[in-house]
Amino acid sequence: MTGLAALQRRFQAGLIAGDLSGLAGLVRAPAGLAVHAHAARAMLVDALADNHPKTLHWLGGESFTALALDYVALTPSSSWTLADYGADFAEYLARTCAGDPEVAELAALDWALRCAFAAADPPPGDWARAPGLNWDGLRLALAPGAALCRLTTNADEIWAAIPDHPVAPRLLAGTVTVLVWRDALEPVFRRLADSEAGLLRRLSTGAAFGAACDACGADADRIGQWLAAWLRAGLVVPRV
């Protein structure tokens, strides 16, 4: 690392953490450091709030800001755009709000939906009509922006109900999978049956289509219905 890069990292870390003690000698007007530190941290907190709007609503402004400031102190931005900030905020909340697991799962849904909105358009589905396509050996991937989120709470119900119809948080009897994708310009999600979730998860990890179908436990008619719906929505693409 060059001397300038090291200096920039030191300056950034001090501003974000709010620890200005080692920065006074680096600038001509150290009295202004506190203003810059406040502005830098506020900018990152605002980015987290923008990227996690339902989590903000669920926690309330004061609690969200306190958690966001702690996260900001540990996690400087590493991208040129604040739209990318907070990729692991849900993981942070899973650790710090372990007694309220719906908080982290709300944040994970917020982030997945934001990513779906910003993702590139999937390629046209013409590939599925190619003559002689070997479906048994075909390997598929989720389209850009599509994601599978595992939930242990009713976070999806909470998310959908905010702000009009508050829903009490509850633990589920088991784990469910929510599929997130973009329908035209709108990011959406839905809960999956276990067999559909299992099939998509196997495909997303590189399993051949035939083997994944055999392992999911659903019959051919049901799999055909799922595949038709995925192709209409642009949810799966050939793995490169």
Side-chain angles (χ1 to χ4, degrees):
M1 183 183 298
T2 66
L4 176 59
L7 180 62
Q8 289 172 330
R9 287 182 181 274
R10 178 182 168 193
F11 193 79
Q12 180 192 47
L15 284 182
I16 298 304
D19 181 7
L20 309 179
S21 57
L23 302 182
L26 303 178
V27 296
R28 292 181 179 178
L33 283 173
V35 174
H36 287 295
H38 175 78
R41 298 172 77 194
M43 179 177 62
L44 293 180
V45 169
D46 286 346
L48 284 176
D50 190 54
N51 291 335
H52 301 84
K54 295 294 184 87
T55 311
L56 167 63
H57 191 282
W58 180 253
L59 287 170
E62 186 174 339
S63 294
F64 182 92
T65 299
L67 287 163
L69 282 171
D70 288 344
Y71 173 83
V72 163
L74 297 171
T75 316
S77 176
S78 59
S79 172
W80 65 272
T81 171
L82 291 178
D84 293 339
Y85 188 65
D88 61 349
F89 188 48
E91 296 173 20
Y92 171 79
L93 293 176
R95 298 191 300 271
T96 55
C97 303
D100 299 296
E102 79 284 353
V103 174
E105 294 184 355
L106 273 173
L109 264 181
D110 268 336
W111 184 257
L113 288 160
R114 192 211 67 79
C115 290
F117 177 77
D121 291 336
D126 297 346
W127 61 267
R129 294 188 290 272
L133 194 61
N134 176 19
W135 280 97
D136 271 353
L138 186 64
R139 296 182 188 275
L140 299 173
L142 292 177
L148 298 170
C149 298
R150 279 196 173 105
L151 301 181
T152 61
T153 73
N154 62 331
D156 55 333
E157 296 174 351
I158 295 171
W159 195 101
I162 293 172
D164 298 324
H165 306 289
V167 171
R170 59 183 174 83
L171 287 172
L172 303 177
T175 300
V176 299
T177 299
V178 168
L179 172 65
V180 177
W181 77 100
R182 191 179 70 212
D183 182 9
L185 297 178
E186 182 181 4
V188 293
F189 65 84
R190 66 177 175 89
R191 275 194 197 184
L192 300 178
D194 289 344
S195 49
E196 185 182 7
L199 177 53
L200 275 176
R201 202 170 292 282
R202 290 181 180 91
L203 294 174
S204 70
T205 56
F209 185 73
C213 289
D214 291 341
C216 79
D219 61 38
D221 287 343
R222 180 59 58 86
I223 292 171
Q225 293 168 9
W226 293 336
L227 180 60
W230 300 342
L231 293 173
R232 285 194 301 270
L235 277 169
V236 291
V237 295
R239 183 173 293 274
V240 178

